[in-house]
Amino acid sequence: LVGRRWTEVTGRPPEEALGTGWQQLVHPADLEALQAHMAQGLSSGRQLEPNHGLLCRHGSYGWQLLRPVPVPGPDPGKAVSWLGTATDIDELKQAQGRLADQAEQLHMAGRLTRMGHWRADLVTQRVTLSPEAAEANHQDRHVGHLLHGPPGGPPAPALLRGEPGKVLGPGQHAE
């Protein structure tokens, strides 16, 4: 028995889902793992909850959560049928993807914050370093090139120039 929702989601008649026909609409990258889950459910007799991409009526794949339970037959390890549900979880998967992207952005922001920042005041022509940026200057002379210009190269603009050889500390200003 295949419910009407199959046709609503896939645009295919229920007869195409019978037997192994439903597998034709499973995303190729998910099919092997899904078949392994089904075999595990058959051998254990327990409900599993695999998810997979399913080709939908609009021509793209959407995420589905299966909750199949095998109905055992007289032969051990063989199911007479399967009972279960398929739930559309595409919006949940998309939200999880957005959340992962936001977590990565937050992680990057945290890394950038630890690197510090500087502020150039165009009116006073002063450069102020955050404590993190000042610490980085003490550890990496290339950061100082932003303030003094590269060795043997042209000097940095007056706005960013400090005293030659001097790295500005937290709260210090280049005159």
Side-chain angles (χ1 to χ4, degrees):
L1 173 67
V2 177
R4 66 177 166 75
R5 185 79 177 122
W6 166 264
T7 301
E8 290 172 8
V9 171
T10 65
R12 308 284 178 100
E15 298 77 38
E16 287 188 24
L18 299 177
T20 58
W22 60 273
Q23 294 180 14
Q24 303 303 312
L25 299 182
V26 172
H27 192 282
D30 299 334
L31 185 57
E32 189 175 321
L34 183 58
Q35 289 170 331
H37 274 103
M38 300 291 280
Q40 183 183 4
L42 186 57
S43 66
S44 70
R46 292 189 328 221
Q47 175 181 328
L48 301 172
E49 294 190 357
N51 55 61
H52 68 282
L54 183 70
L55 184 60
C56 297
R57 73 175 331 135
H58 47 73
S60 64
Y61 287 89
W63 284 99
Q64 296 281 311
L65 171 66
L66 289 183
R67 291 189 175 121
V69 178
V71 177
D75 298 328
K78 295 228 177 203
V80 172
S81 62
W82 292 81
L83 294 176
T85 62
T87 306
D88 182 347
I89 59 167
D90 198 58
E91 287 183 17
L92 172 65
K93 286 288 196 175
Q94 289 179 23
Q96 288 172 335
R98 287 190 303 273
L99 185 61
D101 290 346
Q102 290 172 351
E104 176 60 25
Q105 290 172 356
L106 183 60
H107 177 73
M108 280 178 31
R111 286 192 352 238
L112 290 172
T113 301
R114 285 192 297 277
M115 287 193 284
H117 62 277
W118 58 272
R119 183 175 54 114
D121 186 323
L122 299 176
V123 174
T124 64
Q125 294 193 357
R126 292 179 154 203
V127 175
T128 305
L129 300 177
S130 70
E132 297 84 5
E135 182 179 334
N137 274 316
H138 290 293
Q139 295 174 358
D140 183 355
R141 64 189 204 113
H142 296 290
V143 175
H145 296 164
L146 294 173
L147 301 174
H148 310 296
L159 173 63
L160 298 178
R161 210 172 39 239
E163 295 176 29
K166 179 180 179 189
V167 176
L168 299 179
Q172 292 181 326
H173 302 281
E175 300 296 335

